[in-house]
């Protein structure tokens, strides 16, 4: 599987849809064929060569994008292998419906990053917008597998309707963190918004910041049942991501079960 390096010529006038530009899709194509691949630009279609200078890459199976791709949406859409590396910002739906492979974003990502992700890994060095690790508009199921790591901050409704996988935010997360969550693990190293766990059914939300408190008004209840094996495994898995999570295996925890208003059996875990 060949690698490719794409250097942005100039910022596009309209938003660009990069769905279909994945390592697997480009694996058997020549440079001339890749340059003529057509992508959405507003309501029109443009050949890729009008937007990027393409050259063979030095890493097999890696697509490297150089430049500010803040207006480029659906990077890594439905990707199932290989690696995409964005050396700058990415647009909306980054890593949406991914099934495998790795997406690395050196900047920030827009709305709905990792929406309905089912496998693979996404690493965002900056921030993500609202509804990351969540559902597509009109859908019922959020993130379904894989790992999302955000080194900056996250917007509203992070992990809404999440069903499986792990999603970590090293910084702060907005309101309604893990809302309507069905299963999976969410961990936040900074502050969480006022309605964390709203409508949560199952799964775990870990608030790793020292001194983090249960947000006021939530319908969760303390649970003092000892779970040393579960916490040892979960804490060790989170600790490998460093930052506020690195010391979790050595800290005590407080568990709160809910959301009782939705007959939920999930848990909010504090690490005071």
């Amino acid at each position: 599987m060949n690698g490719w390096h794409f250097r942005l010529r100039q910022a596009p006038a309209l938003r660009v849809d990069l769905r279909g530009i994945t390592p697997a899709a480009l694996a058997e194509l020549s440079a001339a064929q890749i340059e003529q691949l057509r992508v959405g630009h507003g309501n029109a279609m443009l050949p890729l060569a009008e937007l990027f200078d393409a050259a063979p890459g030095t890493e097999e199976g890696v697509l490297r994008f150089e430049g500010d791709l803040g207006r480029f949406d659906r990077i890594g859409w439905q990707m199932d292998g290989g690696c995409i590396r964005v050396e700058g910002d990415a647009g909306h739906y980054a890593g949406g419906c991914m099934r495998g492979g790795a997406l690395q974003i050196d900047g920030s990502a827009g709305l709905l990053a990792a929406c309905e992700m089912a496998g693979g890994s996404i690493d965002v060095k900056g921030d993500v917008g609202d509804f990351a690790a969540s559902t597509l508009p009109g859908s019922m199921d959020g993130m379904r597998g894989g790992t999302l790591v955000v080194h900056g901050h996250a917007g509203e409704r992070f992990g809404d309707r999440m069903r499986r996988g792990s999603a970590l935010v090293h910084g702060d997360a907005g309101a309604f963190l893990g809302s309507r969550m069905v299963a999976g693990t969410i961990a936040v190293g900074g502050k969480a918004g006022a309605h964390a766990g709203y409508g949560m059914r199952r799964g775990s939300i870990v608030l790793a910041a020292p001194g983090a408190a249960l947000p006021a008004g939530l319908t969760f209840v303390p649970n003092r049942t000892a779970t040393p094996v579960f916490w040892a495994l979960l804490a060790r898995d989170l600790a490998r991501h460093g930052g506020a999570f690195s010391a979790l295996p050595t800290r005590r925890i407080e568990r709160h079960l809910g959301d009782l208003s939705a007959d939920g059996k999930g848990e909010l875990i504090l690490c005071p």
Side-chain angles (χ1 to χ4, degrees):
M1 185 182 294
N2 297 326
W4 289 92
H5 179 197
F6 297 94
R7 182 179 290 107
L8 183 64
R9 289 177 177 270
Q10 61 183 0
L14 304 172
R15 301 200 73 84
V16 176
D17 189 334
L18 279 187
R19 76 176 79 199
I21 308 300
T22 64
L26 274 55
E28 304 300 327
L29 300 183
S30 66
Q33 290 173 317
I34 289 174
E35 289 176 350
Q36 292 307 309
L37 289 174
R38 301 180 73 80
V39 295
H41 178 245
N43 293 325
M45 301 294 289
L46 291 178
L48 205 59
E50 289 196 22
L51 299 166
F52 296 97
D53 292 320
T58 58
E59 299 174 89
E60 186 174 351
V62 177
L63 305 186
R64 183 160 65 96
F65 289 90
E66 180 182 339
D68 181 0
L69 269 63
R71 287 188 175 184
F72 288 76
D73 301 331
R74 292 181 173 84
I75 298 170
W77 180 262
Q78 296 182 339
M79 183 168 71
D80 56 11
C83 175
I84 295 179
R85 184 174 302 142
V86 180
E87 298 178 353
D89 292 340
H92 306 321
Y93 301 98
C97 300
M98 270 182 61
R99 299 184 292 269
L103 173 60
Q104 302 168 3
I105 300 172
D106 288 347
S108 296
L111 304 174
L112 292 152
C115 59
E116 300 193 14
M117 176 185 183
S121 64
I122 301 177
D123 189 273
V124 182
K125 297 302 183 186
D127 304 332
V128 293
D130 298 343
F131 288 96
S134 179
T135 65
L136 290 168
S139 183
M140 295 295 290
D141 297 337
M143 183 175 174
R144 304 168 188 181
T147 302
L148 167 65
V149 179
V150 179
H151 295 266
H153 305 303
E156 310 294 301
R157 296 278 187 181
F158 185 88
D160 184 56
R161 294 190 185 275
M162 181 176 175
R163 287 188 170 271
R164 196 176 178 184
S166 300
L168 293 84
V169 181
H170 282 262
D172 301 335
F176 294 97
L177 170 76
S179 58
R180 303 179 290 184
M181 186 176 176
V182 179
T185 300
I186 293 175
V188 177
K191 299 177 182 177
H195 306 290
Y198 173 82
M200 182 181 182
R201 302 302 296 271
R202 291 183 182 274
S204 302
I205 297 178
V206 179
L207 303 181
L214 194 70
L218 292 185
T219 49
F220 283 72
V221 295
N223 183 345
R224 292 177 173 80
T225 302
T227 56
V229 176
F230 161 77
W231 176 244
L233 293 174
L234 179 59
R236 184 172 61 188
D237 183 61
L238 296 176
R240 64 189 177 89
H241 296 284
F245 310 115
S246 60
L248 288 182
T250 66
R251 292 166 61 186
R252 67 181 184 88
I253 63 171
E254 296 177 1
R255 299 173 65 227
H256 299 263
L257 301 186
D259 182 353
L260 299 184
S261 66
D263 197 25
K265 299 179 181 179
E267 60 181 359
L268 282 171
I269 299 176
L270 308 181
C271 307

